[in-house]
Amino acid sequence: CFSSIPLETLAQKAKEIGLAGIDLIGAEGWDTLKKYGLTSTMCYGDLEGASTRDLSKGWCDTQYHEDLIKHYKRFIPMVADAGWKNLICFSGNRRGIDDQTGLQNCVNGLKEILPIAEKHGVILHMELLNSKVDHNDYMCDNSIWGVALCKALNSSHFKLLYDIYHMQIMEGDVIRTIRDNIDYYGHFHTAGVPGRNEIDESQELFYPAIMEAIVEAGFKGYVAQEFIPKDRTEEGLRSLEDAVRRCDV
């Protein structure tokens, strides 16, 4: 979301704001985070395993399993060795696969890497994304399906990344859904609806109440600001400061 700003600059500013870390940084940026005492709060696969960063080619489609398994088996220990804990993954697109078959495909594939994640203390997080506006045909586009996958895998090392922006678009009822399913959510993303921009009064969600609900539910993980600032220059970092203030409950 701040890709137009050099990581060095972003890390320095994140530290000044008081953030714990930065999401979605691959191994190529970890040294910069450590330089500023920041955590890679949600790791991306590295550049060698580009498939692990592809939202459309995921675990619901068996044609991608061999490549995904190879790279996650290699990358999970790298995440642990670096001192990190959270690693993102994606369902991928349906491509005509029905939801039940896709869920079982995810179970079969993820079971090949979950023992490694458990051994190394790494938690895999599958992101919930909207298929209505931004990610057409994405399978893990609602909490019911995602929670069913969590139950089928039955591992404390597999969670859902609940993106508040995406789930407001797909299912709404954000606060109740968070309260009912908090055991299955391991990470949160923010952004304004509509537009995926700042979380200010220009959009429909009231983030202080959502943050209060997350805290009251007993959540101890990270909430990451994933909105796209309207100003993509360093001035856009003012929006990041404002978002942190709004979510500080």
Side-chain angles (χ1 to χ4, degrees), residues 63-78:
Q63 69 175 305
Y64 303 114
H65 280 191
E66 182 179 357
D67 191 58
L68 289 169
I69 290 168
K70 177 181 72 174
H71 288 299
Y72 274 98
K73 280 185 174 180
R74 178 182 57 80
F75 198 63
I76 288 169
M78 288 175 60

Side-chain angles (χ1 to χ4, degrees), residues 130 162-178 188-214 223-227 242-243 246-247:
N130 85 76
Y162 186 93
D163 189 302
I164 298 164
Y165 159 79
H166 288 295
M167 290 303 96
Q168 169 68 359
I169 290 172
M170 290 303 298
E171 59 192 23
D173 200 13
V174 169
I175 289 177
R176 187 188 65 82
T177 303
I178 289 172
F188 289 91
H189 280 171
T190 75
V193 182
R196 201 177 174 182
N197 302 124
E198 280 79 354
I199 60 173
D200 56 22
E201 290 79 7
S202 67
Q203 52 88 47
E204 67 193 32
L205 291 164
F206 184 61
Y207 270 93
I210 296 171
M211 294 302 116
E212 288 281 5
I214 291 171
V223 174
Q225 304 289 352
E226 210 201 16
F227 65 90
D242 180 66
R246 292 173 187 272
C247 292

Side-chain angles (χ1 to χ4, degrees), residues 42-57:
M42 181 59 66
C43 296
Y44 245 172
D46 63 356
L47 294 174
E48 181 183 337
S51 59
T52 63
R53 300 188 183 194
D54 193 327
L55 283 65
S56 67
K57 299 176 181 178

Side-chain angles (χ1 to χ4, degrees), residues 43-229:
C43 296
Y44 245 172
D46 63 356
L47 294 174
E48 181 183 337
S51 59
T52 63
R53 300 188 183 194
D54 193 327
L55 283 65
S56 67
K57 299 176 181 178
W59 293 98
C60 75
D61 193 332
T62 56
Q63 69 175 305
Y64 303 114
H65 280 191
E66 182 179 357
D67 191 58
L68 289 169
I69 290 168
K70 177 181 72 174
H71 288 299
Y72 274 98
K73 280 185 174 180
R74 178 182 57 80
F75 198 63
I76 288 169
M78 288 175 60
V79 171
D81 290 345
W84 315 134
K85 186 170 79 170
N86 297 325
L87 177 57
I88 200 166
C89 67
F90 304 101
S91 70
N93 289 3
R94 291 181 171 87
R95 294 183 176 83
I97 301 168
D98 68 84
D99 281 6
Q100 187 55 45
T101 300
L103 190 147
Q104 188 58 53
N105 288 345
C106 286
V107 170
N108 295 343
L110 288 163
K111 279 189 172 180
E112 295 294 316
I113 63 169
L114 267 173
I116 300 169
E118 291 165 355
K119 174 184 176 182
H120 290 277
V122 171
I123 301 174
L124 299 170
H125 297 74
M126 182 173 285
E127 185 164 12
L128 291 156
L129 301 171
N130 85 76
S131 59
K132 180 180 177 181
V133 177
D134 300 290
H135 302 287
N136 180 50
D137 203 42
Y138 187 76
M139 183 168 282
C140 187
D141 64 355
N142 66 91
S143 290
I144 292 175
W145 189 93
V147 168
L149 177 58
C150 289
K151 291 179 177 179
L153 288 167
N154 191 30
S155 171
S156 60
H157 289 262
F158 181 84
K159 300 283 186 179
L160 298 173
L161 194 171
Y162 186 93
D163 189 302
I164 298 164
Y165 159 79
H166 288 295
M167 290 303 96
Q168 169 68 359
I169 290 172
M170 290 303 298
E171 59 192 23
D173 200 13
V174 169
I175 289 177
R176 187 188 65 82
T177 303
I178 289 172
R179 287 172 174 163
D180 288 351
N181 299 295
I182 194 64
D183 289 343
Y184 305 104
Y185 299 146
H187 200 81
F188 289 91
H189 280 171
T190 75
V193 182
R196 201 177 174 182
N197 302 124
E198 280 79 354
I199 60 173
D200 56 22
E201 290 79 7
S202 67
Q203 52 88 47
E204 67 193 32
L205 291 164
F206 184 61
Y207 270 93
I210 296 171
M211 294 302 116
E212 288 281 5
I214 291 171
V215 171
E216 289 169 4
F219 182 72
K220 302 297 184 183
Y222 296 111
V223 174
Q225 304 289 352
E226 210 201 16
F227 65 90
I228 300 172

